C-alpha cells in the first residue's frame, strides 16, 4: 500500500513539473517556430477550407492565415437560373437544385446540337457561374444571416459563399486556383472536348482538342476497327504512313456535318472561356498582389489562365463586355483547324474524328506571320504544350496535319 501511494505521489509531482515547464521544454512547439515558417506551411496547405479551420486554432493562426499568398478554392455547387416553383425563392435561393437534361433527351442533328450547346448547354451554366462567383448573388442567399462587426477570417466552408467573399480576407494573395464543380459544356457520353485559354483584357490564345469518340484499342487482332474509307491511315505517333496524308484535309471532315460540329465545339468553348474571364474581374480588382490565376473545373474540360502581365493588363485596360450576355467580347479571330479521322495514343487509346483548333486574335496572328520564326517551334509550343499527356501527344500529332484556316468576326 505504501509503495502504491509513493508511486502515485511521484506521478503527481511529474505532472506538476510538466505543467510548470516552459513551452520550449514540452509545451506548444508551434510557439518556437517563426511566422515565416508557419506561413510556408500554410501556403503548402493552400485549400481554403483547411485554411479556414486553421484560422480557428489560435489567435496567432487567425492572424497568419490572411497573409497566405497561395490559395486553392474548390467551388462545391453551382445554382442554375431555372425559375423556382415558389415566388419567394430568388436566383440565389438554396431551394434551387442543379440538374441537367438526360442524355437520351438531347437533340440530334447539326441544328439541334447547335441550339442545345449554345443555348441550353451554355446559357444556364454561365448564369449559374455568375451566381457562384458574384458576391451579390451570394449575399441574397444569406440576407437573413447576421453580419459580423469585424472582417471575418477565411471561411471554413465555401458551399454558401462566393469565391470573392471567401478571398476577401486574404491580403497578400499571389497565386490563386479556383475549381468549378463541372464544365459548362454539356456533351454526349464518349465525346472528348477540352480547351485551354489565356486572357489579358481580352483573349490572348485558345487551344481546343476534341474527338467524336474515345475508345480503347481492341486486344484481339481480328477485332481491329476498319479505318475510314476516305483516309486509310491512322494518325499515330509511331505511324510511318501518316506523311502520306499531311498535305490535304481528309474528306471525312466535310461529310455528315463534321465541320459544322467542330465549329460548334469552337464557338461553345470560346463562349465558356469568355464567361469565366468576365466573372473573374471582381476578384482581380480586389487583389492587386495577384500574379497567377487559374480557373479550372473538376471535369477537366476547360482551363483559363492569367499570368502577372495579363493580370496587370486587365487592371489597366477595362474589359469590353459583350452586349448580349455577361462575358468578355471576343475580338476578330484567326483559327487553324487540324483534323485526323483516327489518332492512336500511347496506351492504346483511340480518338476518332480527332480535332485540334488553335485560335489567336487576327491582329496577333498577322503580326506573327510577318515576324521571323513565327511558324517554327517557338510559334507552336503554346499549342503542343496546352494539354497534359496523353492529350499532348495527340496535339503534336495533329499539328503535323494540314490545317483548315478560318476567320471569325468579333462576337
Amino acid at each position: 500500500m505504501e509503495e502504491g501511494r509513493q508511486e502515485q505521489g511521484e506521478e503527481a509531482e511529474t505532472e506538476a513539473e510538466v505543467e510548470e515547464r516552459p513551452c520550449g521544454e514540452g509545451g506548444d512547439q508551434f510557439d518556437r517556430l517563426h511566422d515565416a515558417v508557419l506561413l510556408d506551411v500554410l501556403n503548402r496547405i493552400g485549400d481554403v477550407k483547411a485554411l479556414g479551420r486553421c484560422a480557428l486554432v489560435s489567435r496567432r493562426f487567425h492572424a497568419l492565415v490572411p497573409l497566405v499568398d497561395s490559395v486553392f478554392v474548390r467551388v462545391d455547387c453551382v445554382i442554375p437560373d431555372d425559375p423556382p416553383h415558389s415566388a419567394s425563392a430568388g436566383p440565389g435561393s438554396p431551394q434551387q437544385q442543379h440538374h441537367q437534361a438526360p442524355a437520351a433527351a438531347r437533340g440530334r442533328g447539326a441544328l439541334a446540337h447547335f441550339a442545345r450547346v449554345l443555348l441550353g448547354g451554355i446559357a444556364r451554366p454561365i448564369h449559374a457561374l455568375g451566381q457562384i462567383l458574384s458576391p451579390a448573388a451570394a449575399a441574397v442567399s444569406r440576407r437573413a444571416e447576421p453580419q459580423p462587426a469585424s472582417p471575418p477570417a477565411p471561411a471554413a466552408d465555401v458551399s454558401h459563399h462566393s469565391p470573392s467573399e471567401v478571398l476577401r480576407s486574404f491580403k497578400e494573395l499571389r497565386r490563386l486556383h479556383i475549381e468549378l464543380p463541372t464544365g459548362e459544356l454539356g456533351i454526349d457520353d464518349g465525346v472528348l472536348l477540352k480547351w485551354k485559354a489565356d486572357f489579358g483584357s481580352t483573349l490572348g490564345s485558345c487551344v481546343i482538342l476534341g474527338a467524336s469518340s474515345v475508345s480503347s484499342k481492341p486486344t484481339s487482332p481480328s477485332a481491329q476497327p476498319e479505318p475510314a474509307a476516305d483516309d486509310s491511315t491512322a494518325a499515330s505517333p509511331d505511324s510511318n504512313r501518316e506523311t502520306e496524308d499531311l498535305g490535304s484535309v481528309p474528306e471525312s471532315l466535310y461529310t455528315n456535318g463534321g465541320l459544322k460540329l467542330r465549329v460548334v465545339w469552337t464557338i461553345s468553348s470560346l463562349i465558356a472561356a469568355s464567361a469565366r474571364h468576365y466573372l473573374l474581374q471582381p476578384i482581380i480588382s480586389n487583389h492587386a498582389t495577384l500574379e497567377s490565376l487559374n480557373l479550372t473545373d473538376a471535369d477537366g474540360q476547360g482551363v483559363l489562365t492569367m499570368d502577372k502581365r495579363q493580370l496587370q493588363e486587365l487592371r489597366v485596360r477595362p474589359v469590353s463586355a459583350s452586349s448580349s450576355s455577361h462575358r468578355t467580347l471576343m475580338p476578330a479571330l484567326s483559327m487553324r483547324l487540324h483534323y485526323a479521322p483516327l489518332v492512336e495514343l500511347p496506351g492504346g487509346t483511340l480518338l476518332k474524328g480527332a480535332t485540334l483548333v488553335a485560335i489567336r486574335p487576327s491582329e496577333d496572328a498577322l503580326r506573327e506571320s510577318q515576324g521571323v520564326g513565327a511558324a517554327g517551334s517557338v510559334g507552336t509550343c503554346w499549342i503542343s504544350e496546352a494539354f497534359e499527356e496523353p492529350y499532348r501527344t495527340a496535339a503534336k500529332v495533329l499539328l503535323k496535319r494540314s490545317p483548315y484556316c478560318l476567320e471569325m468576326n468579333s462576337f
Side-chain angles (χ1 to χ4, degrees):
M1 294 293 292
E2 294 180 357
E3 292 180 359
R5 293 176 181 175
Q6 184 177 0
E7 290 178 358
Q8 292 179 357
E10 291 177 355
E11 292 177 358
E13 291 178 1
T14 303
E15 293 177 357
E17 290 177 1
V18 171
E19 293 178 357
E20 295 176 359
R21 187 177 301 167
C23 62
E25 300 181 11
D28 187 356
Q29 297 298 321
F30 279 104
D31 290 342
R32 304 179 61 185
L33 299 177
H34 294 290
D35 287 352
V37 176
L38 290 179
L39 275 175
D40 183 66
V41 173
L42 294 173
N43 277 317
R44 293 173 186 272
I45 293 175
D47 182 74
V48 73
K49 289 185 178 181
L51 291 174
R53 298 185 185 103
C54 290
L56 303 176
V57 171
S58 66
R59 292 182 179 179
R60 187 185 183 196
F61 275 34
H62 187 274
L64 287 177
V65 167
L67 303 181
V68 169
D69 61 18
S70 181
V71 175
F72 172 69
V73 179
R74 179 180 286 107
V75 177
D76 293 336
C77 63
V78 175
I79 303 173
D81 65 333
D82 293 16
H85 297 289
S86 173
S88 61
S93 172
Q95 297 177 10
Q96 295 179 328
Q97 300 294 328
H98 175 68
H99 67 277
Q100 294 181 347
R106 293 171 177 172
R108 302 297 177 186
L111 184 59
H113 185 84
F114 186 90
R116 174 175 59 81
V117 172
L118 290 188
L119 300 180
I122 291 290
R124 285 183 296 180
I126 284 178
H127 184 92
L129 183 62
Q131 294 285 342
I132 197 104
L133 291 181
S134 171
V140 171
S141 65
R142 302 192 318 281
R143 56 185 176 272
E145 297 181 7
Q147 298 296 324
S150 59
D157 185 3
V158 300
S159 299
H160 306 293
H161 299 77
S162 73
S164 297
E165 291 185 321
V166 172
L167 297 168
R168 188 173 298 169
S169 298
F170 292 93
K171 308 302 181 183
E172 303 291 338
L173 193 59
R174 297 183 183 277
R175 294 173 295 277
L176 175 61
H177 182 184
I178 301 176
E179 182 184 273
L180 302 175
T182 59
E184 296 90 336
L185 308 181
I187 57 176
D188 295 320
D189 294 337
V191 175
L192 172 70
L193 184 57
K194 301 173 75 68
W195 58 266
K196 181 178 181 181
D198 67 84
F199 280 82
S201 59
T202 187
L203 179 70
S205 67
C206 182
V207 184
I208 302 169
L209 179 65
S212 55
S213 69
V214 181
S215 60
S216 298
K217 185 177 181 180
T219 56
S220 175
S222 60
Q224 293 288 347
E226 295 183 0
D230 50 22
D231 188 356
S232 59
T233 303
S236 66
D238 301 325
S239 175
N240 296 323
R241 299 174 299 171
E242 66 180 7
T243 54
E244 300 173 5
D245 307 304
L246 301 184
S248 61
V249 179
E251 290 295 328
S252 57
L253 176 64
Y254 308 106
T255 58
N256 299 323
L259 181 58
K260 292 181 180 179
L261 176 61
R262 281 147 183 85
V263 171
V264 168
W265 288 351
T266 301
I267 296 176
S268 303
S269 300
L270 289 171
I271 291 177
S274 62
R276 290 190 187 187
H277 177 254
Y278 181 83
L279 295 169
L280 287 173
Q281 291 182 83
I283 296 175
I284 297 172
S285 61
N286 291 337
H287 298 277
T289 58
L290 198 59
E291 298 178 356
S292 172
L293 192 155
N294 293 322
L295 180 54
T296 63
D297 58 79
D299 293 337
Q301 189 177 92
V303 177
L304 184 149
T305 66
M306 299 182 71
D307 58 24
K308 183 177 181 180
R309 178 189 60 81
Q310 292 169 327
L311 289 165
Q312 183 59 29
E313 176 186 322
L314 178 60
R315 297 185 185 101
V316 175
R317 187 184 307 169
V319 169
S320 298
S322 171
S323 58
S324 59
S325 59
H326 297 292
R327 61 177 182 83
T328 300
L329 182 68
M330 282 291 177
L333 300 173
S334 176
M335 300 179 286
R336 296 169 66 87
L337 187 152
H338 304 263
Y339 171 81
L342 183 66
V343 170
E344 181 180 341
L345 301 179
T349 301
L350 301 177
L351 303 182
K352 296 182 180 180
T355 306
L356 179 71
V357 186
I359 306 170
R360 296 295 301 274
S362 297
E363 293 184 359
D364 294 348
L366 178 62
R367 187 161 47 248
E368 289 183 5
S369 65
Q370 298 173 349
V372 178
S377 59
V378 176
T380 60
C381 64
W382 60 277
I383 306 174
S384 59
E385 298 178 1
F387 306 104
E388 300 294 332
E389 292 291 357
Y391 302 112
R392 178 174 295 183
T393 297
K396 291 180 179 179
V397 170
L398 289 167
L399 272 175
K400 299 177 182 179
R401 292 275 172 162
S402 179
Y404 184 95
C405 298
L406 302 95
E407 296 289 333
M408 183 176 295
N409 294 329
S410 175
F411 67 96

